[in-house]
Amino acid sequence: MAATLAILGGGAIGQLLAMDLCQQQHSPILLTRPDSATGIIRHQMQRLDGSVQHHSLRHAPSNQPQHCDAVLVTTKAYQAEAALAPVLAWLPASTPIVLLHNGMGPQQRLAQRFPTHNWWAGMLTDGALKRGPHSVSHTGQGVRYLGPLAGQGRMPEAVTDIGFISEATILPRLWQKLAVNALINPLTACYGCANGELIRPGYRAELQRLSDELAAVAKAEGITMTAEQILTWGLSVAEATCGNRSSMLQDIGANRSTEIDAISGFVVERAQAHGLNADAHQHNLTRVRQLSNRAQA
Ligand code: PAF
């Protein structure tokens, strides 16, 4: 049955998911800034095989009530809470909200602050490049997972139609993605290099330290992942996306805020809560904040 999914965040991943939903005969709504114009806008997407597709997407301001079966949040981590505020004012508490940003922190804060809402979280490893406000390229086939954060309930089948695999416990997947991001994003941002550079032996000691610290923090949080697994995930994603510039490197280059607080910042915060050492992550946090401040000055 055709479903209406609202997408909050019109970046590369938001556009990619919206186009995938159209392809599967669903009707996404792109929620735009409060008080922006409503309208039908033609979007373009270049698929992995190079073919180009067009679909007309409904745009609607996020502060205007909509009928929708679920909300997919594809903003940056640092935007999620503010972007959701106008939506939570009209969204029925039972409607699933799926948080798909990198990193952690906003998921836990939102679920705690608005306990009556139906919170889900997910992660995807697709590569996508925003070519313009209405144009995106799918640059890498990834895996997609989601699961309930707090409470239960049903998710519309539309998410399965666009490749999401449902997990009863989503936290281990979120930690796995966090681990990959905590290894790749700060280093590529600090060294100004493509992901694939990190495979070189010169980066191995730094990656090993980050993996060791992260494994200890995860263990204290009840998540089983060894330093070897973390390093292997980081290196294999760096290799699979070797030509890509990480989202954090792109953010620094474009003078945008970065997701460092939800990535290294989250690791440092959890380490402190357990009295553990996370000096390597703290070092990255400090360096990326400095780079970001300089870029935005
Ligand atoms: O944030 C990113 O850029 C991506 O999540 C990843 C996996 C590091 C690949 O570039």
Side-chain angles (χ1 to χ4, degrees):
M1 203 174 77
T4 303
L5 266 61
I7 297 182
L8 185 63
I13 295 295
Q15 289 193 45
L16 170 69
L17 297 182
M19 295 300 265
D20 281 354
L21 283 163
C22 290
Q23 185 71 8
Q24 296 297 323
Q25 318 302 329
H26 296 293
S27 328
I29 307 172
L30 269 189
L31 296 178
T32 51
R33 289 183 195 288
D35 302 321
S36 54
T38 304
I40 306 287
I41 295 185
R42 191 172 146 87
H43 279 246
Q44 172 174 305
M45 158 145 138
Q46 181 166 35
R47 294 215 160 260
L48 285 169
D49 63 6
S51 62
V52 174
Q53 289 174 350
H54 294 95
H55 289 289
S56 295
L57 294 185
R58 186 142 75 85
H59 286 222
S62 62
N63 58 339
Q64 191 181 86
Q66 306 291 327
H67 165 75
C68 61
D69 301 301
V71 179
L72 305 182
V73 183
T74 56
T75 61
K76 295 279 189 182
Y78 55 83
Q79 296 167 327
E81 286 155 281
L84 268 166
V87 179
L88 296 180
W90 55 261
L91 192 74
S94 58
T95 307
I97 308 171
V98 191
L99 300 164
L100 291 169
H101 54 74
N102 279 339
M104 279 204 267
Q107 299 96 328
Q108 291 77 2
R109 283 197 294 276
L110 281 160
Q112 253 172 31
R113 223 173 123 207
F114 303 98
T116 55
H117 279 279
N118 186 358
W119 296 104
W120 292 59
M123 63 84 132
L124 63 167
T125 59
D126 291 78
L129 198 60
K130 182 174 174 173
R131 303 268 180 209
H134 311 130
S135 174
V136 66
S137 292
H138 193 189
T139 54
Q141 184 61 60
V143 288
R144 302 175 181 183
Y145 292 98
L146 55 69
L149 252 189
Q152 296 297 317
R154 281 179 59 78
M155 180 60 66
E157 275 167 25
V159 295
T160 318
D161 295 344
I162 58 167
F164 279 95
I165 298 166
S166 209
E167 300 265 70
T169 315
I170 194 67
L171 269 186
R173 295 280 178 199
L174 299 186
W175 274 88
Q176 183 175 351
K177 179 82 192 293
L178 175 77
V180 168
N181 287 134
L183 264 57
I184 296 181
N185 295 30
L187 295 192
T188 51
C190 292
Y191 295 117
C193 65
N195 295 354
E197 271 293 297
L198 301 183
I199 303 163
R200 292 181 190 272
Y203 295 99
R204 199 57 53 90
E206 212 167 345
L207 290 170
Q208 184 69 60
R209 246 190 337 270
L210 291 167
S211 305
D212 290 342
E213 289 180 4
L214 191 46
V217 177
K219 188 170 175 212
E221 289 278 306
I223 303 289
T224 312
M225 49 190 206
T226 65
E228 290 69 31
Q229 281 174 321
I230 295 171
L231 185 60
T232 305
W233 293 332
L235 291 174
S236 53
V237 173
E239 194 169 5
T241 59
C242 58
N244 286 14
R245 287 154 51 82
S246 75
S247 54
M248 196 168 282
L249 176 59
Q250 292 182 46
D251 287 339
I252 296 276
N255 300 340
R256 291 189 294 257
S257 301
T258 74
E259 296 184 303
I260 196 69
D261 288 341
I263 298 176
S264 309
F266 181 79
V267 178
V268 168
E269 192 247 307
R270 294 323 303 152
Q272 283 168 353
H274 296 289
L276 291 168
N277 165 41
D279 287 351
H281 292 275
Q282 177 65 63
H283 182 62
N284 283 345
L285 178 61
T286 308
R287 284 199 301 174
V288 174
R289 278 184 181 160
Q290 281 167 351
L291 276 177
S292 173
N293 288 343
R294 215 173 299 151
Q296 290 177 48

